[in-house]
Each structure stands twice: as C-alpha cells, then as structure tokens.
Amino acid sequence: MIEARRLHILRAVADHRTVTAAAAALYLTPSAVSQQLAALEQETGHRLFERSAKGVRLTPAGEILLNHTNAVLAQLERAEAELAAYGAGQAGTVTVAAFATGIAEVVAPAVARLARTAPGIRIRVQDAEGDASLPMVLDRQVDVAVAVEYRGAPPADDPRLTHVPLYAEPFDAVVPVTHRMADAAEVPLAELAKDCWIGPYPGNPCHDVVVLACEIAGFQPRLEHSSDDFRAVVALAAADAGVALVPRSALRGMDLAGVVVRPVDGVAPTRRVFAAVRRGAEEHPLIKPVLEALGEAAPGT
C-alpha cells in the first residue's frame, strides 16, 4: 500500500529537483525525505529517482507514478472539500499569497467583501512574488496564490493546480520629463532601444514581460538598475537614470513628479493575473468563497 504522505514528498522532490530544497519546502530534514523516498521505492518495487551532482531526476517509473500522484492528490483534496462541506465548515482560516499590487488590487477588496459575506472565514495574507506563490501552494504552505503568468510558470492545464483568471492589465512606458519621447502620445518601444533601463530582477515575472516585449520590438534592454519595488523604479526614472515599463495598476497613487507615463504604441505588454489552488481544493467550503470574492473584486468584473 502506497502512503499518500510519501506521494506528497515524491511531488515535492519532482518540483524542486533536489532533496534539500524539497525538504526545506516540506519542513522536513533531507534525511527524512531520503528515507521516505527509499520507502516509496520499496513499496512500489521500482527505482523512482536517479541522483546526480546536479540533483534528482525521475526515472520512467517515477514519471508514471507522478502522473498518478497528481490525480490521487487532487482526489484527496476533493474528499477533504466534500467532508468539510458535509460538516458545514463555514469557519476557518485561508492563507493567500500574492504580490504587492495584487494585494492592493484584488486581495484587500476580497478580504473586505468576505468580512461582510462570510465572517467566519479568516484570511491570512502573505506578500510573495508571482513566481514564489505557486510553489507555496503546491508545497501546502498556503491555500491560494494570486500570481502572474510568466515564462516557465505551470500552464493553465497543469494537473496539480486549478487556475481562476482574474484580470489583465497593460504596462505603460515611464520616461523622464526631459526624455525625447516625453511629448509623444504613445511610445514605440523600439525608440527606447538605446536607453538605459530600470526594471525588476530576473525571476520576477514582470522582468520576463519587459524583456519579452523588448525582444519583440527587436532589441535587448540594457538594464542598468534593478528593483522589484515599482516606486523605486519610478523614482529612478524621475532622476533621469533610465526608462521603464510599469504595470498600470502599480502607478496608481504614486508620486509621478519628474516622469511622464505614456501608453505603449501597438500591442502593449500585458500582465495576466490569476488565482491558483491545488486541484480539487476549489470546491472546499472555505476556499470556494475566497476564489469567488477574488473574482468579484477583480477589475472589470
């Protein structure tokens, strides 16, 4: 009999690709993870992993078991949801991880809605970039992620997750008031090819959006300054340190003295925001109202 606890460990190791990283995500010791993997291999009668200096890779047998693991864990999430519904569990805590602008844009309004419509649900919010929040959901550190589509992100049909689209917003060009494009109604990105750029660090989903937009425009941006805080990005642009692309919602309420904000000419780069939960958990009586409140709070709904 295969233990479900060991399937959680199998998926964590497959996701993180090293025993050490999986152990940290699961709050276990590496030796405990290794022992559970050895027990799982004994239970199945197959070698599931190949270990090397670069980490851990699934064998073909491991890939087969991982496919079944995703289905089994999703079904267990559904079982928990149905049992919670049967017990009329309308009171409890749901933990939501979201990036800063997402917190302001949808999470905080959703918290306010839930205080009126489902006062028994307590929301705990954690600030986490979009690329960090999805692994936190998969590792069961949080219940819901508000994340951004980015290169390398789990796709919408990932068997481990259920995606709920929330909103999409364009990036606007931010240039110093002295910039040659400051008087333009719209800014073609190709006109900024020779400028210094200010933007998020690699790994931040918005970094991918900026770089990809510039690549489509025919150049690689020369990123001279890096910050994940868009207030800092705008402040540097105001100091004539470079140009930037910033999500439109991040500019609301910000001091824009010293910069000009203009739409991008043509197809603007876009940030697509969604909520994600472990597949099967979307019907849980505590999580379902949270997803609904996030959807109702999303711009344009």
Side-chain angles (χ1 to χ4, degrees):
M1 181 70 71
I2 298 174
E3 291 189 17
R5 175 169 54 105
R6 290 175 182 148
L7 295 180
H8 281 293
I9 293 173
L10 168 76
R11 188 159 80 178
V13 173
D15 287 342
H16 293 280
R17 302 193 182 279
T18 71
V19 168
T20 301
L26 297 172
Y27 300 103
L28 297 172
T29 64
S31 61
V33 170
S34 294
Q35 289 170 9
Q36 292 299 320
L37 294 179
L40 185 59
E41 290 183 324
Q42 187 173 4
E43 285 175 343
T44 60
H46 291 278
R47 186 181 179 189
L48 303 175
F49 297 93
E50 293 178 351
R51 296 162 177 82
S52 69
K54 294 183 178 179
V56 177
R57 185 169 62 88
L58 289 174
T59 64
E63 294 284 357
I64 291 171
L65 183 58
L66 179 63
N67 288 335
H68 287 285
T69 291
N70 290 329
V72 168
L73 294 183
Q75 191 61 40
L76 287 174
E77 293 281 357
R78 295 187 188 98
E80 290 181 8
E82 288 189 23
L83 287 171
Y86 176 77
Q90 296 302 314
T93 300
V94 176
T95 304
V96 180
F99 57 100
T101 311
I103 292 174
E105 198 74 8
V106 291
V107 177
V111 170
R113 287 171 184 263
L114 289 166
R116 300 189 303 269
T117 61
I121 299 178
R122 176 173 175 261
I123 305 296
R124 292 181 62 247
V125 180
Q126 297 185 19
D127 190 330
E129 290 299 336
D131 58 328
S133 60
L134 295 177
M136 291 169 73
V137 167
L138 291 171
D139 293 334
R140 305 181 71 87
Q141 297 172 7
V142 300
D143 302 302
V144 182
V146 174
V148 178
E149 290 182 4
Y150 60 95
R151 286 188 284 190
D157 61 353
D158 189 295
R160 302 168 297 171
L161 295 167
T162 294
H163 283 222
V164 179
L166 294 177
Y167 66 94
E169 63 172 329
F171 282 62
D172 288 327
V174 178
V175 302
V177 292
T178 57
H179 194 275
R180 62 189 181 281
M181 297 301 297
D183 293 330
E186 296 181 333
V187 175
L189 286 185
E191 292 293 329
L192 306 179
K194 296 182 179 180
D195 285 89
C196 295
W197 279 73
I198 313 156
Y201 284 101
N204 185 315
C206 289
H207 174 89
D208 287 345
V209 174
V210 171
V211 172
L212 181 59
C214 293
E215 288 176 353
I216 292 173
F219 68 97
Q220 285 282 340
R222 183 157 51 93
L223 284 161
E224 294 285 339
H225 312 285
S226 298
S227 175
D228 289 334
D229 186 334
F230 286 117
R231 288 169 299 189
V233 170
V234 171
L236 285 168
D240 206 15
V243 300
L245 287 174
V246 177
R248 187 165 292 171
S249 66
L251 293 167
R252 292 197 193 109
M254 195 181 293
D255 181 5
L256 299 176
V259 299
V260 171
V261 178
R262 293 288 184 264
V264 172
D265 184 35
V267 179
T270 301
R271 174 161 74 173
R272 303 184 190 282
V273 180
F274 62 93
V277 298
R278 292 180 294 278
R279 189 172 291 272
E282 62 274 11
E283 293 299 324
H284 191 286
L286 295 180
I287 293 176
K288 185 176 181 180
V290 174
L291 293 176
E292 291 173 348
L294 289 169
E296 291 167 357
T301 61

